[in-house]
Amino acid sequence: MTLAPVTRQLAAAALAQLGLFAGLSALVGLGPVGWCTGIAYAGALGFLVARAFHRAGAHSLGPADRVTLARAVLAGGVTALVVDGWVGGGTPVVVLVGLASLALALDAVDGYVARRSRTASAVGARFDMEVDAFLLLVLSLHVAGSLGAWTATIGLLRYVFVAAGWVLPWLRGPLPVRYSAKAIAALQGIVLVVAASEVLPAPLAAGLVAVALGLLVWSFGRSVAWLRRAARVREDAALDRSPSGLAVL
């Protein structure tokens, strides 16, 4: 039986993920908790990506999607290191920062590849966004251990926004492309990696994270305000199209 291309690609990514965990075990001694976390992550990644591309009717990952998949594998390594560090009492900073920095650097590559190959797609963009969001969540939780729980807000904001959309459907509306929002999102990863590297004094690192968080809150607030205005315009248009009582008579 011939496997679908997307299945083969995800199987190759799973093997690469296991190879990364084996390398981390040899290099920094990744423990059982890290292995279990990483395997669970790899399983969830494969399942969710396969389902998303199947629903989109895509039988193969495009060139940019494969770059995003590589970033997701690196994010799995970061996740395993962070969780293992919580149990083992320490996280290898150099390795963590190296993996996270490479994953963030590749974020610019997949967009470039998508434009050059003209293979941009809605499911690919969503895949890219979810990898970004999860990596920020893991990094913010790691930094919270040294700077305080408030830093986790950076990683949690996006998930709070999605959860709010379940209650308020107008929050699920499409947003216009804003380069300021993309720049602010990219800044979060850079600042969190700098904070995780421990090269700055804690007060300075906390100040940088606070500034990044402030910009992120502003960006989310701007998006919420835009979505609410757009929803009101749609509601007013629907009322205008509905027949009045006099017209019915």
Side-chain angles (χ1 to χ4, degrees), residues 10-11 15 17 23 31 34 40 54 76 97 104 126 129 135 171 211 214 216 220 232 245:
L10 291 174
L15 291 176
Q17 188 77 85
H54 174 73
V97 169
L104 292 174
R126 179 66 183 273
M129 181 175 62
L135 181 59
L171 283 173
V211 171
L216 187 63
F220 269 99
R232 286 174 177 170

Side-chain angles (χ1 to χ4, degrees), residues 21-32 34-35 81 84 88 90 92:
F21 295 152
L24 292 175
S25 295
L27 185 64
V28 296
L30 185 67
W35 269 96
L81 286 175
D84 197 61

Side-chain angles (χ1 to χ4, degrees), residues 7 20 24 31 43 49 59 91 103 135 140 174 211 215 219 224:
T7 303
L20 176 59
L24 292 175
V49 173
H59 302 292
T91 302
L135 181 59
S140 66
V211 171
L215 290 171
S219 181
V224 169

Side-chain angles (χ1 to χ4, degrees):
M1 179 178 179
T2 303
L3 296 176
V6 67
T7 303
R8 294 198 300 269
Q9 291 162 341
L10 291 174
L15 291 176
Q17 188 77 85
L18 293 176
L20 176 59
F21 295 152
L24 292 175
S25 295
L27 185 64
V28 296
L30 185 67
V33 173
W35 269 96
C36 291
T37 301
I39 291 173
Y41 168 89
L45 173 67
F47 171 76
L48 293 173
V49 173
R51 186 177 68 169
F53 277 77
H54 174 73
R55 287 182 173 180
H59 302 292
S60 176
L61 275 67
D65 302 325
R66 292 194 286 271
V67 176
T68 304
L69 186 59
R71 293 178 53 234
V73 169
L74 294 171
V78 173
T79 303
L81 286 175
V82 169
V83 176
D84 197 61
W86 290 343
V87 178
T91 302
V93 173
V94 174
V95 178
L96 174 70
V97 169
L99 289 177
S101 298
L102 182 56
L104 292 174
L106 288 176
D107 189 22
V109 175
D110 54 12
Y112 174 79
V113 171
R115 292 188 297 270
R116 291 284 295 180
S117 61
R118 297 182 180 179
T119 55
S121 65
V123 67
R126 179 66 183 273
F127 183 24
D128 177 64
M129 181 175 62
E130 295 298 341
V131 172
D132 288 340
F134 187 78
L135 181 59
L136 288 182
L137 175 63
V138 174
L139 288 174
S140 66
L141 290 173
H142 171 69
V143 172
S146 57
L147 300 183
W150 62 273
T151 62
T153 307
I154 288 179
L156 292 172
L157 261 180
R158 196 258 170 181
Y159 295 97
V160 171
F161 180 80
V162 171
W166 299 340
V167 181
L168 303 171
W170 54 268
L171 283 173
R172 299 198 296 267
L175 283 166
V177 176
R178 288 199 181 100
Y179 292 102
S180 61
K182 291 184 176 182
I184 290 172
L187 177 65
Q188 308 304 310
I190 295 171
V191 169
L192 287 174
V193 166
V194 170
S197 68
E198 301 177 1
V199 297
L200 297 177
L204 182 55
L208 286 176
V209 175
V211 171
L213 176 58
L215 290 171
L216 187 63
V217 169
W218 173 81
S219 181
F220 269 99
R222 190 180 179 191
S223 296
V224 169
W226 192 95
L227 289 170
R228 187 58 191 144
R229 286 195 301 269
R232 286 174 177 170
V233 169
R234 290 193 298 269
E235 291 167 1
D236 292 342
L239 288 174
D240 291 340
R241 289 193 299 269
S242 63
S244 64
L246 182 59
V248 171
L249 290 175

